[in-house]
Amino acid sequence: MDPQPPTAPSPRAWRAAPVSALSRAGADRAALRREETDLVPRLLADAERTRVVLVRGGEVAVDADGRLDLVAPEPDAAAGRLAAFLGEDAQHAYVALLLDQPSALDPVLGADGLPAAERWPEAGRAWASLRDQGETLDDRDAGLATAAVALAAWHARHPRCPRCGEPTTPTRAGWARRCSADGSEHFPRTDPAVIMAVVDDTDRLLLGHAAHWPDRRFSTLAGFVEAGESAEGAVRREVAEETAIVVSDVEYVTSQPWPFPASLMLAYRARATTTTIEVDGTEVTDARWFTRDGLARDVASGDVLLPPPSSVARLLIEDWFGGPVG
Ligand SMILES: [Zn+2]
């Protein structure tokens, strides 16, 4: 009898990862263009093609319909203020104007000597937080706004060189800063955090209440990845620290930038191998197992308030639930 030919394992099926609100994008970041000489000033001089995303106090300007309020640049628009190239598509190039951020360590004054807040383009605009309204933006606007808010938060917190303490100045079209003393270059930092849907063998979901949250808010557990730690290790550690639950089978689901100020949320599912909850009492003051019926009932009655639709926590909860809750 002929030996059987070896059989290759069948290919693993691909599963589309759920896409969270702030993970969406439409425009091309066109990162290679950041090296072009005077890219941002040239774009700000092109009122035909360029559209400006306004960022102030961690919020973006929105129009009456809740869409990003993209404006054509006006002459002298960026005077004294930091602008960053966000990307482009067939219609437009997009520049973020970081209204809180001076382009150098100078006060934010225009050529007219007026404080920025008294000049174009702040007057009469509405501002929105991505935390609260991120899911209402379309894909293009969500991507532009998330990058703009992340850059604004980084520039605001990193005016000086971490090596020598001297001032740094923006380079690479707003995507880096260079030290004026030693020439070292510094890039926007992103802090990885894990967030996890912990499910037990009877398919109940573990949700906790953090000490600093509003009353009745319950959400998935989360925490920062520590130095020298894997994301999966952080999932196991955080769940054990906060609730004394032991998990196995840590499985990646999706990610979401969360620029408040610099997190990247890495979302996981994990299987609980124990069920007795003991909260740490400091970070997490309550935690419970929820069945689908129980969660639906508690949300309907107002006994449980879930995290906002823009959050990856909500996505994980609804991924487990099988659709929108409440
Ligand atoms: Zn330095």
Side-chain angles (χ1 to χ4, degrees), residues 160-168 179-184 186:
R160 290 183 176 273
C161 176
R163 292 188 184 179
C164 72
E166 289 298 313
T168 53
C179 176
S180 55
D182 59 32
S184 61
H186 306 280

Side-chain angles (χ1 to χ4, degrees), residues 117-264:
E118 294 175 22
R119 293 188 291 121
W120 184 92
E122 277 97 325
R125 297 199 189 277
W127 303 87
S129 144
L130 290 181
R131 236 187 248 267
D132 302 332
Q133 293 189 33
E135 80 283 358
T136 64
L137 299 174
D138 66 18
D139 290 0
R140 181 199 67 178
D141 287 359
L144 293 173
T146 305
V149 167
L151 284 172
W154 175 68
H155 283 288
R157 287 166 177 75
H158 296 82
R160 290 183 176 273
C161 176
R163 292 188 184 179
C164 72
E166 289 298 313
T168 53
T169 51
T171 58
R172 298 183 191 264
W175 286 86
R177 300 182 72 96
R178 189 184 302 280
C179 176
S180 55
D182 59 32
S184 61
E185 210 173 4
H186 306 280
F187 295 86
R189 60 175 290 168
T190 297
D191 300 326
V194 291
I195 186 161
M196 40 277 177
V198 175
V199 178
D200 77 358
D201 284 342
T202 60
D203 208 23
R204 295 180 303 174
L205 178 68
L206 178 65
L207 297 179
H209 173 80
H212 63 278
W213 287 350
D215 283 352
R216 294 176 286 144
R217 161 71 58 81
F218 278 82
S219 186
T220 50
L221 304 179
F224 284 105
V225 179
E226 293 190 338
E229 185 177 44
S230 71
E232 291 81 359
V235 170
R236 288 188 289 268
R237 177 182 53 75
E238 285 285 345
V239 176
E241 283 176 2
E242 294 180 347
T243 62
I245 297 294
V246 177
V247 300
S248 65
D249 302 331
V250 178
E251 185 180 78
Y252 178 73
V253 178
T254 191
S255 68
Q256 160 148 287
W258 196 243
F260 315 110
S263 298
L264 175 66

Side-chain angles (χ1 to χ4, degrees), residues 297-324:
R297 197 169 51 237
D298 288 348
V299 169
S301 69
D303 289 338
V304 163
L305 304 176
L306 293 179
S310 63
S311 66
V312 76
R314 183 65 169 257
L315 179 148
L316 278 174
I317 293 167
E318 297 195 333
D319 190 44
W320 163 81
F321 191 79

Side-chain angles (χ1 to χ4, degrees), residues 2 12 28 75 151 180 193 261:
D2 292 336
R12 183 177 170 158
D28 177 358
L151 284 172
S180 55

